[in-house]
C-alpha cells in the first residue's frame, strides 16, 4: 500500500509546501519527502529526503542535498512492571546524540526526560490526562533553569485547543488543530512575546491532506 500526504503552511510573510510518499515493503516502510524548493527551481535535490523505517524499532533518514544521515532507534523495557519507552537519535552532520525516555506510570500519568549527550541540555516533563480530555504538561529545562507549561483540551473528538507558555522567553502560544480522515487536518496557531513592548502576534496556518493508493 502507498500513502501520500501534502502539507501547506501559510504565514503573513511567506508560504511553503511539502509532500511525502510512503510505501510498505513487508515489515519496513520506505519514505520520500520533498518541499516546494525541490520543484520551484528544479527539479532539483533541495528539500529532498529519503527514509527507511521499521515501526517501533528504527528509522534511518537521509537528507540528500546535505548528504547527512540520521539514525533513530526505539526500544521498550520494563521498570517496576511499567513500560519505559527509550529513543536514541544520532545525527551525523551536527554530530549530536539525543537520548529520550518516557515512563508510562498508568493511563493518565507519565514522566519523560530528554538529554543531549555531552551538553547540559536536559528536559524533564510530567504529563497528566484529566478526564480523558484535558492534558496538563509542566516541564523543566535544566539547561535554561526555567519552567514551561502547556495545557490542551480535546473538543468534539477531532478538535484540540492548546495553550503554552515558556517562562525563559516569555512566549505565549495558542493553537487550534483538527485531525480528520475525511476532511483532512489543519492547525492554526498564534504566538506573542510578552516581554516585547509591541506585542504583535505571529500567526501561522497549516493544512494536511492524506491519501491512500
Amino acid at each position: 500500500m502507498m500513502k501520500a500526504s501534502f502539507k501547506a503552511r501559510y504565514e503573513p510573510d511567506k508560504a511553503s509546501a511539502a509532500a511525502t510518499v510512503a510505501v510498505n515493503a513487508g515489515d519496513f516502510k520506505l519514505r520520500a519527502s520533498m518541499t516546494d524548493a525541490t520543484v520551484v527551481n528544479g527539479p532539483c535535490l533541495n528539500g529532498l529526503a529519503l527514509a527507511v523505517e521499521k515501526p517501533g524499532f528504527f528509522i534511518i533518514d537521509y537528507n540528500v542535498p546535505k548528504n547527512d544521515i540520521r539514525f533513530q532507534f526505539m526500544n521498550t523495557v520494563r521498570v517496576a512492571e511499567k513500560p519505559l519507552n527509550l529513543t536514541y537519535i544520532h545525527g551525523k552532520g551536527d554530530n549530536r546524540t539525543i537520548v529520550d525516555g518516557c515512563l508510562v506510570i498508568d493511563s493518565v500519568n507519565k514522566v519523560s526526560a530528554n538529554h543531549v549527550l555531552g551538553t547540559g541540555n536536559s528536559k524533564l516533563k510530567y504529563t497528566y490526562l484529566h478526564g480523558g480530555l484535558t492534558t496538563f504538561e509542566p516541564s523543566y529545562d535544566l539547561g535554561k533553569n526555567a519552567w514551561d507549561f502547556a495545557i490542551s483540551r480535546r473538543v468534539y473528538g477531532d478538535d484540540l485547543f492548546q495553550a503554552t507558555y515558556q517562562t525563559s522567553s516569555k512566549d505565549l502560544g495558542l493553537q487550534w488543530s483538527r485531525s480528520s480522515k475525511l476532511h483532512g487536518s489543519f492547525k492554526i496557531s498564534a504566538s506573542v512575546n510578552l516581554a516585547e513592548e509591541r506585542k504583535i502576534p505571529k500567526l501561522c496556518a497549516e493544512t494536511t491532506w492524506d491519501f491512500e493508493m
Side-chain angles (χ1 to χ4, degrees), residues 50-66:
L50 306 174
V52 178
E53 175 184 359
K54 185 174 183 180
F57 291 92
F58 68 81
I59 302 173
I60 301 175
D61 289 293
Y62 177 61
N63 187 309
V64 177
K66 295 182 179 180

Side-chain angles (χ1 to χ4, degrees), residues 191-204:
S191 62
V192 63
N193 189 294
L194 300 182
E196 294 180 350
E197 183 175 351
R198 297 183 60 190
K199 298 178 176 57
I200 302 176
K202 298 178 181 178
L203 303 176
C204 176

Side-chain angles (χ1 to χ4, degrees), residues 51-158:
V52 178
E53 175 184 359
K54 185 174 183 180
F57 291 92
F58 68 81
I59 302 173
I60 301 175
D61 289 293
Y62 177 61
N63 187 309
V64 177
K66 295 182 179 180
N67 192 25
D68 186 18
I69 190 168
R70 190 186 74 158
F71 302 92
Q72 180 173 326
F73 300 95
M74 298 86 78
N75 193 15
T76 300
V77 298
R78 308 291 295 189
V79 177
E81 301 303 318
K82 306 294 183 182
L84 173 61
N85 302 318
L86 298 172
T87 304
Y88 171 91
I89 304 172
H90 178 73
K92 182 180 177 182
D94 55 9
N95 194 28
R96 187 173 68 162
T97 301
I98 303 172
V99 179
D100 188 272
C102 179
L103 179 63
V104 181
I105 301 174
D106 52 37
S107 59
V108 298
N109 296 280
K110 60 183 179 181
V111 179
S112 57
N114 178 282
H115 176 64
V116 181
L117 297 183
T119 72
N121 296 333
S122 298
K123 293 182 180 180
L124 299 174
K125 182 171 68 174
Y126 169 66
T127 302
Y128 170 66
L129 178 61
H130 178 73
L133 297 175
T134 305
T135 302
F136 300 91
E137 289 184 315
S139 60
Y140 181 68
D141 191 320
L142 279 71
K144 297 180 180 179
N145 190 27
W147 285 91
D148 296 332
F149 300 93
I151 180 173
S152 57
R153 171 79 177 184
R154 187 163 297 279
V155 182
Y156 305 123
D158 294 333

